[in-house]
Amino acid sequence: MSNPKQPTSGPEQRTGKKKAQVSPSPERRRELLGIAADVFAEQGYNATTVRKIADAAGMLAGSLYYHFDSKESMLEEILRTFLTELWDGYDAVLRAQLGPRATLEALVTESFREIDRHRAAVAIYQKESRQLVAQERFQYLADSQQRFEKAWLTTLERGVAEGVFRDDLDIRLAYRFVRDTVWVAASWYRPGGGHSPEEIARQYLSMVLDGISVRP
């Protein structure tokens, strides 16, 4: 008696190999994160759905999950990328051990460069960070804020101690003023405009430092 006929095996069964899956390209991933950042910045995090991001990218919502598992993951990557680059620049400035005025100038310039590179991420950070830090996965935002405040306050305090900035300067008030007036630029700055981030920083510093520098 002959054996029953066995099902014909496919190519994967004959070779014992599975077809390799193609990973999303880094370029496409960055492109989608840029689109998502613009949608988050314009519509707000809570009002943004995966479908809205997919629509803006010209793809099906289901296809977006091939690249990211959730909108939370997209937002986290957007903000982490921005803050990583910001701290790369800030840490380089602080390691240079410049004088307090030069340090302040370099920090301001680096801030405007980050607005140029990550305008939408800056806008998201400003609008959403207070709400996001309540979630464990976004706790790094609070840690970054503490580092940020320390860097700026230390620079201002050193400037007063060394006689570079006025001794009657309210350090915390000056910090809040500089912080808010620099980062609010994300609401109006557009990359490729009439002024480079370095030129905007120069103009800004010429106005601010004349008000806090020791006069001859």
Coordinates of all heavy atoms in Angstrom, one line a residue, residues 29-41 45 53 68 71-85 118-125 138 140-141:
R29 N 12.1 57.1 7.9 CA 11.7 57.2 9.3 C 11.8 58.7 9.7 O 10.9 59.2 10.4 CB 12.6 56.3 10.2 CG 12.2 56.3 11.6 CD 13.1 55.4 12.4 NE 12.7 55.3 13.8 CZ 11.8 54.4 14.3 NH1 11.2 53.6 13.4 NH2 11.5 54.4 15.6
R30 N 12.9 59.3 9.4 CA 13.1 60.7 9.7 C 12.1 61.6 9.0 O 11.6 62.6 9.6 CB 14.5 61.2 9.3 CG 15.6 60.7 10.2 CD 16.9 61.4 9.9 NE 17.5 61.1 8.6 CZ 18.3 60.1 8.4 NH1 18.7 59.3 9.4 NH2 18.8 59.9 7.2
E31 N 11.7 61.3 7.8 CA 10.7 62.0 7.1 C 9.4 62.0 7.8 O 8.7 63.0 8.0 CB 10.6 61.5 5.7 CG 9.5 62.2 4.8 CD 9.3 61.6 3.5 OE1 9.9 60.5 3.2 OE2 8.5 62.1 2.7
L32 N 9.0 60.8 8.2 CA 7.7 60.6 8.9 C 7.7 61.3 10.3 O 6.7 61.9 10.7 CB 7.4 59.1 9.1 CG 7.1 58.3 7.8 CD1 7.0 56.8 8.1 CD2 5.8 58.8 7.2
L33 N 8.8 61.3 11.0 CA 8.9 62.0 12.2 C 8.8 63.5 12.0 O 8.2 64.2 12.9 CB 10.3 61.6 13.0 CG 10.3 60.2 13.6 CD1 11.7 60.0 14.1 CD2 9.3 60.1 14.7
G34 N 9.4 64.0 11.0 CA 9.3 65.4 10.7 C 7.8 65.8 10.4 O 7.3 66.8 10.9
I35 N 7.1 65.0 9.7 CA 5.7 65.2 9.4 C 4.9 65.1 10.7 O 4.0 66.0 11.0 CB 5.2 64.2 8.4 CG1 5.8 64.4 7.0 CG2 3.6 64.3 8.3 CD1 5.5 63.3 6.0
A36 N 5.1 64.1 11.5 CA 4.4 64.0 12.8 C 4.7 65.2 13.7 O 3.8 65.7 14.3 CB 4.9 62.7 13.5
A37 N 5.9 65.7 13.7 CA 6.3 66.8 14.6 C 5.5 68.0 14.1 O 4.9 68.8 15.0 CB 7.8 67.1 14.5
D38 N 5.3 68.2 12.8 CA 4.5 69.4 12.3 C 3.1 69.3 12.7 O 2.4 70.3 13.1 CB 4.7 69.5 10.8 CG 6.0 70.0 10.4 OD1 6.7 70.6 11.2 OD2 6.4 69.7 9.2
V39 N 2.5 68.0 12.7 CA 1.1 67.8 13.0 C 0.9 68.0 14.5 O 0.0 68.7 15.0 CB 0.6 66.4 12.6 CG1 -0.8 66.2 13.0 CG2 0.8 66.3 11.1
F40 N 1.8 67.5 15.3 CA 1.7 67.6 16.8 C 1.8 69.1 17.2 O 1.1 69.6 18.0 CB 2.9 66.9 17.5 CG 2.7 65.4 17.6 CD1 3.8 64.6 17.3 CD2 1.5 64.8 18.0 CE1 3.7 63.2 17.4 CE2 1.4 63.5 18.1 CZ 2.5 62.6 17.8
A41 N 2.7 69.9 16.5 CA 2.9 71.3 16.9 C 1.7 72.1 16.5 O 1.3 73.0 17.2 CB 4.2 71.8 16.1
Y45 N -0.9 67.6 20.9 CA -0.7 66.1 21.0 C -2.0 65.4 21.2 O -2.2 64.4 20.6 CB 0.3 65.9 22.2 CG 0.5 64.4 22.5 CD1 1.1 63.6 21.6 CD2 0.0 63.9 23.7 CE1 1.3 62.2 21.9 CE2 0.2 62.5 24.0 CZ 0.8 61.7 23.1 OH 1.0 60.4 23.3
I53 N -1.7 61.8 11.3 CA -0.3 61.8 10.8 C -0.2 61.1 9.5 O 0.5 61.5 8.6 CB 0.6 61.2 11.9 CG1 0.5 62.0 13.2 CG2 2.0 61.0 11.4 CD1 1.2 61.3 14.4
F68 N 6.2 52.7 13.3 CA 6.1 53.1 14.7 C 5.0 52.4 15.4 O 3.9 52.2 14.7 CB 5.9 54.6 14.9 CG 7.0 55.5 14.2 CD1 6.7 55.9 12.9 CD2 8.2 55.7 14.8 CE1 7.7 56.7 12.2 CE2 9.1 56.5 14.1 CZ 8.9 57.0 12.8
K71 N 1.6 56.6 18.6 CA 1.9 58.1 18.5 C 2.8 58.5 19.6 O 3.6 59.4 19.5 CB 0.7 58.9 18.4 CG -0.1 59.1 19.7 CD -1.2 60.2 19.5 CE -1.9 60.5 20.8 NZ -2.9 61.6 20.7
E72 N 2.7 57.8 20.8 CA 3.5 58.1 21.9 C 5.0 57.9 21.6 O 5.9 58.6 21.9 CB 3.1 57.3 23.1 CG 1.8 57.7 23.8 CD 0.6 57.0 23.1 OE1 0.8 56.3 22.1 OE2 -0.5 57.3 23.5
S73 N 5.3 56.8 20.9 CA 6.6 56.4 20.5 C 7.2 57.5 19.5 O 8.3 57.9 19.6 CB 6.7 55.1 19.8 OG 6.3 54.0 20.7
M74 N 6.3 58.0 18.6 CA 6.7 59.0 17.7 C 7.1 60.3 18.4 O 8.2 60.9 18.2 CB 5.7 59.3 16.7 CG 5.3 58.1 15.8 SD 4.1 58.5 14.5 CE 5.1 59.3 13.3
L75 N 6.2 60.7 19.4 CA 6.5 61.9 20.1 C 7.8 61.8 21.0 O 8.6 62.7 21.0 CB 5.3 62.2 21.0 CG 5.5 63.5 21.9 CD1 5.6 64.7 21.0 CD2 4.3 63.7 22.8
E76 N 7.9 60.6 21.6 CA 9.1 60.4 22.4 C 10.4 60.5 21.6 O 11.4 61.2 22.0 CB 9.1 59.1 23.1 CG 10.3 58.8 24.0 CD 10.2 57.5 24.8 OE1 9.3 56.8 24.6 OE2 11.1 57.3 25.7
E77 N 10.4 59.9 20.4 CA 11.6 60.0 19.5 C 11.9 61.4 19.1 O 13.0 61.9 19.0 CB 11.5 59.1 18.4 CG 12.7 58.9 17.6 CD 12.7 57.7 16.6 OE1 11.9 56.8 16.8 OE2 13.6 57.7 15.7
I78 N 10.8 62.2 18.7 CA 10.9 63.6 18.3 C 11.6 64.4 19.4 O 12.5 65.1 19.2 CB 9.5 64.1 18.0 CG1 9.0 63.5 16.7 CG2 9.6 65.7 17.8 CD1 7.5 63.8 16.4
L79 N 11.1 64.3 20.6 CA 11.6 65.1 21.7 C 13.0 64.6 22.2 O 13.8 65.5 22.5 CB 10.6 65.1 22.9 CG 9.3 65.7 22.7 CD1 8.4 65.6 23.9 CD2 9.4 67.2 22.3
R80 N 13.2 63.3 22.2 CA 14.6 62.9 22.6 C 15.6 63.3 21.6 O 16.7 63.7 22.0 CB 14.6 61.3 22.7 CG 14.0 60.8 24.0 CD 14.3 59.4 24.2 NE 13.7 58.8 25.5 CZ 14.3 58.9 26.6 NH1 15.5 59.5 26.8 NH2 13.7 58.4 27.7
T81 N 15.3 63.3 20.3 CA 16.3 63.7 19.3 C 16.6 65.2 19.5 O 17.8 65.5 19.4 CB 15.7 63.4 17.9 OG1 15.4 62.0 17.7 CG2 16.6 63.9 16.8
F82 N 15.6 66.0 19.7 CA 15.8 67.4 19.9 C 16.7 67.7 21.1 O 17.7 68.4 21.0 CB 14.4 68.1 20.0 CG 14.5 69.4 20.8 CD1 15.3 70.4 20.5 CD2 13.7 69.5 21.9 CE1 15.3 71.6 21.2 CE2 13.7 70.7 22.7 CZ 14.5 71.8 22.3
L83 N 16.3 67.0 22.2 CA 17.1 67.3 23.5 C 18.5 66.7 23.4 O 19.4 67.3 24.0 CB 16.3 66.7 24.7 CG 15.0 67.5 25.0 CD1 14.3 66.7 26.1 CD2 15.3 68.9 25.5
T84 N 18.7 65.6 22.7 CA 20.0 65.0 22.6 C 20.9 66.0 21.9 O 22.1 66.3 22.3 CB 20.0 63.7 21.9 OG1 19.2 62.7 22.7 CG2 21.4 63.1 21.7
E85 N 20.4 66.5 20.8 CA 21.2 67.5 20.0 C 21.4 68.8 20.8 O 22.5 69.4 20.7 CB 20.5 67.8 18.6 CG 20.6 66.6 17.7 CD 20.2 66.9 16.3 OE1 20.2 68.1 15.9 OE2 19.9 66.0 15.5
H118 N 15.0 72.2 14.8 CA 13.9 71.4 15.4 C 12.8 72.4 15.8 O 12.3 72.3 16.9 CB 14.4 70.6 16.6 CG 15.4 69.6 16.3 ND1 15.1 68.4 15.6 CD2 16.7 69.5 16.5 CE1 16.2 67.7 15.5 NE2 17.2 68.4 16.0
R119 N 12.3 73.2 14.9 CA 11.3 74.2 15.3 C 10.1 73.6 15.8 O 9.5 74.0 16.9 CB 11.0 75.1 14.1 CG 10.0 76.3 14.4 CD 9.4 76.8 13.2 NE 8.6 75.8 12.5 CZ 7.3 75.5 12.9 NH1 6.8 76.1 14.0 NH2 6.6 74.6 12.3
A120 N 9.6 72.6 15.1 CA 8.3 71.9 15.6 C 8.5 71.2 16.9 O 7.6 71.3 17.8 CB 7.9 70.9 14.5
A121 N 9.6 70.6 17.1 CA 9.9 69.9 18.4 C 9.9 70.9 19.6 O 9.4 70.6 20.7 CB 11.2 69.1 18.3
V122 N 10.5 72.1 19.3 CA 10.6 73.1 20.3 C 9.2 73.6 20.7 O 8.8 73.7 21.9 CB 11.4 74.3 19.9 CG1 11.3 75.5 20.9 CG2 12.9 73.9 19.7
A123 N 8.4 73.8 19.7 CA 7.0 74.2 19.9 C 6.2 73.2 20.7 O 5.4 73.5 21.6 CB 6.3 74.5 18.5
I124 N 6.4 71.9 20.4 CA 5.7 70.8 21.1 C 6.2 70.8 22.6 O 5.4 70.7 23.5 CB 6.1 69.4 20.5 CG1 5.5 69.3 19.1 CG2 5.5 68.3 21.3 CD1 6.1 68.2 18.3
Y125 N 7.5 70.9 22.8 CA 8.1 70.9 24.1 C 7.4 72.1 24.9 O 7.1 71.8 26.1 CB 9.6 71.1 24.0 CG 10.3 71.1 25.4 CD1 10.7 69.9 25.9 CD2 10.5 72.3 26.1 CE1 11.4 69.9 27.2 CE2 11.1 72.3 27.3 CZ 11.6 71.1 27.8 OH 12.2 71.1 29.0
F138 N 8.0 60.0 29.9 CA 8.5 61.3 29.5 C 9.1 62.0 30.7 O 9.3 63.2 30.7 CB 7.3 62.2 29.0 CG 6.8 61.7 27.7 CD1 5.6 61.0 27.6 CD2 7.5 62.0 26.5 CE1 5.2 60.6 26.3 CE2 7.1 61.6 25.3 CZ 5.9 60.9 25.2
Y140 N 12.1 62.1 31.5 CA 13.4 62.7 31.1 C 13.2 64.1 30.8 O 14.2 64.9 30.8 CB 14.0 61.9 29.9 CG 13.2 62.0 28.6 CD1 13.4 63.1 27.7 CD2 12.2 61.1 28.3 CE1 12.7 63.2 26.5 CE2 11.4 61.2 27.1 CZ 11.7 62.3 26.3 OH 10.9 62.4 25.1
L141 N 12.0 64.6 30.5 CA 11.8 66.0 30.2 C 12.1 66.8 31.4 O 12.7 67.9 31.4 CB 10.4 66.3 29.7 CG 10.0 65.6 28.4 CD1 8.5 65.9 28.1 CD2 10.9 66.1 27.2

